[in-house]
Amino acid sequence: NENEYVVYYKDDATAFNGEKKAEISSKGILNNKISTIIFEMLKENNINTHFIKSLSDREMLVKKVEILPLEVIVRNIAAGSICKRVGLEEGVVFDEPIFEISYKNDDYAVAMKLATREELKFLREETLKINELLKAFFLKLNLKLVDFKIEFGKDSEGNIILADEVSPDTCRLWDVNTNEKLDKDRFRKDLGDLVEGYTEVLSRMNNK
């Protein structure tokens, strides 16, 4: 089917724009399973995504999309680059989510013809809906959704839908009680075994 792709989840891990690299056994399997559960939850809540079905431990079938060259970021709690940029202490909870796109100026995205004003408005509204759904979903697992980055694409009919993955590679997740980090910061900052953290996230999902 020319309008479908198979996504294969690898074990590669990178950080700091590729300066730190490793191959971590079974990371791809964990991310595929976690992303599958999240995509299914979002679908149940009327969010359109590229996900069709899981094919194997490492593969999922998705709709073919043309990825919008904009990285969308939502921050609920201060962590990572925003702390360095504006001097915030890690852990500060924002009164409302901070919405960013990788081209910080919307005018730039429009001028580059990366997205129209209407598409940017849709991206913001859809992303904030996704944020509320993910926050509630993870809170049931005793996890705080600190921040996350997502990508959107256009399907064959021109609809903008959520694409890529939603996993501990793309979300910061902290335990509600201990603030233990169960995401890729374990790899970035050498905070503990990455697979152990991702396995804990998946285990909570399967036991909810």
Side-chain angles (χ1 to χ4, degrees):
N1 186 327
E2 63 181 16
N3 289 318
E4 294 178 357
Y5 283 153
V6 173
V7 173
Y8 180 88
Y9 283 76
K10 300 189 294 183
D11 287 334
D12 297 356
T14 60
F16 311 118
N17 292 321
E19 289 178 23
K20 185 174 184 178
K21 297 179 183 177
E23 190 166 305
I24 301 171
S25 178
S26 81
K27 181 177 89 80
I29 294 172
L30 290 162
N31 277 344
N32 182 33
K33 290 181 176 178
I34 290 168
S35 287
T36 293
I37 292 169
I38 291 173
F39 279 135
E40 287 173 341
M41 180 276 291
L42 291 173
K43 183 180 179 181
E44 288 170 9
N45 287 278
N46 302 312
I47 299 294
N48 290 323
T49 79
H50 72 161
F51 176 78
I52 298 173
K53 65 179 179 179
S54 177
L55 297 175
S56 68
D57 276 353
R58 290 187 180 272
E59 295 173 322
M60 67 167 59
L61 187 68
V62 302
K63 295 175 186 174
K64 176 184 175 182
V65 297
E66 181 184 344
I67 292 287
L68 294 175
L70 297 170
E71 192 173 81
V72 181
I73 301 164
V74 173
R75 302 180 187 278
N76 297 307
I77 300 170
S81 63
I82 198 167
C83 295
K84 295 174 188 170
R85 287 205 313 266
V86 299
L88 281 171
E89 186 178 334
E90 183 179 83
V92 172
V93 179
F94 301 124
D95 290 338
E96 57 183 61
I98 293 175
F99 171 86
E100 299 177 12
I101 53 175
S102 58
Y103 292 96
K104 300 294 184 241
N105 185 328
D106 287 3
D107 292 331
Y108 185 60
V110 173
M112 295 285 289
K113 298 191 181 350
L114 302 178
T116 65
R117 293 275 175 205
E118 292 75 20
E119 287 170 344
L120 287 172
K121 183 174 183 286
F122 173 81
L123 286 178
R124 179 184 175 84
E125 290 172 353
E126 193 77 347
T127 298
L128 293 177
K129 276 187 215 167
I130 291 167
N131 182 44
E132 290 307 310
L133 290 168
L134 290 178
K135 274 168 61 180
F137 175 79
F138 284 120
L139 197 56
K140 288 178 184 173
L141 310 180
N142 217 32
L143 292 169
K144 298 177 194 173
L145 178 61
V146 175
D147 59 30
F148 62 93
K149 61 180 180 181
I150 51 178
E151 293 184 23
F152 290 87
K154 286 187 179 179
D155 65 14
S156 59
E157 297 172 354
N159 301 308
I160 296 177
I161 60 177
L162 181 65
D164 196 42
E165 67 177 302
V166 185
S167 74
D169 268 11
T170 61
C171 302
R172 279 193 175 90
L173 300 168
W174 297 353
D175 182 86
V176 164
N177 299 313
T178 66
N179 280 337
E180 180 186 6
K181 295 172 173 66
L182 298 171
D183 52 68
K184 202 166 85 167
D185 274 350
R186 294 170 79 93
F187 170 69
R188 287 188 192 98
K189 301 179 179 180
D190 299 314
L191 298 175
D193 182 76
L194 181 139
V195 167
E196 188 179 293
Y198 287 25
T199 300
E200 175 64 21
V201 172
L202 181 60
S203 173
R204 294 187 192 192
M205 288 179 167
N206 288 333
N207 292 328
K208 71 176 174 65

